[in-house]
Amino acid sequence: MRYEELADFPCSITRPLVVLGDRWTLLVLKTAFNGVRRFNAFQAALGISRSRLQDRLDRLVEHEILAKTKSGDGNYEEYRLTPKGHDVYPVLMALRDWGDRYMAPDGPPVHFRHRDCPGEAHVSLACDVCGNPLTARDVDPVPGPGLS
């Protein structure tokens, strides 16, 4: 299957990968969650080429993950996370949890602390009915209404 055809593949893992599935897009989003909003600030933080950065920002705007707006003083444009963009945060945190576990031999490079207590943010998978924690061994994929 060709990359372009994946956007129409009836799978809720495959379709987001068409939009989010390259390292630069995820790094742009990580940087946006760290408060960066201006093009030049993204470029400085990431060391990415202007054309590649513009491509990733345009794709995120096209998919309504970021919104391109005028700054408060109207002097420049900025990119802000939309509600759809904020919903990507658990995906990044799941990658971070996995990276801390398997790719940080000296320990986590950054702790994501809860502002209201000494706890740390982690992603967990649980049943939406009973609340029990789940692993891949506890889940059975079954056809849903979007499967044609």
Side-chain angles (χ1 to χ4, degrees), residues 96 99-100 103-104 106-112:
R96 189 274 326 223
D100 282 354
M103 303 190 84
D106 298 325
V110 177
H111 291 282
F112 290 80

Side-chain angles (χ1 to χ4, degrees), residues 11-132:
C11 174
S12 295
I13 294 173
T14 304
R15 286 178 177 165
L17 284 174
V18 172
V19 178
L20 303 172
D22 74 87
R23 65 180 170 243
W24 287 117
T25 301
L26 293 175
L27 291 172
V28 166
L29 286 170
K30 177 190 88 123
T31 306
F33 278 107
N34 287 337
V36 172
R37 294 190 179 122
R38 294 178 62 184
F39 184 93
N40 289 340
F42 279 108
Q43 190 180 28
L46 296 170
I48 184 174
S49 73
R50 294 181 68 78
S51 62
R52 182 163 287 154
L53 176 58
Q54 191 63 64
D55 176 68
R56 297 321 187 267
L57 289 170
D58 287 346
R59 184 181 324 146
L60 291 168
V61 169
E62 174 188 346
H63 289 276
E64 300 176 343
I65 295 167
L66 293 177
K68 189 175 182 178
T69 62
K70 286 284 188 190
S71 64
D73 60 12
N75 290 332
Y76 55 89
E77 293 182 325
E78 61 185 19
Y79 296 88
R80 291 185 161 266
L81 288 158
T82 65
K84 185 176 179 180
H86 279 279
D87 284 347
V88 176
Y89 193 69
V91 175
L92 293 175
M93 291 286 88
L95 280 171
R96 189 274 326 223
D97 279 346
W98 186 87
D100 282 354
R101 177 176 233 166
Y102 296 107
M103 303 190 84
D106 298 325
V110 177
H111 291 282
F112 290 80
R113 299 275 184 220
H114 182 200
R115 285 193 178 123
D116 295 336
C117 79
E120 189 165 338
H122 292 283
V123 176
S124 61
L125 189 62
C127 175
D128 68 346
V129 174
C130 69
N132 286 340

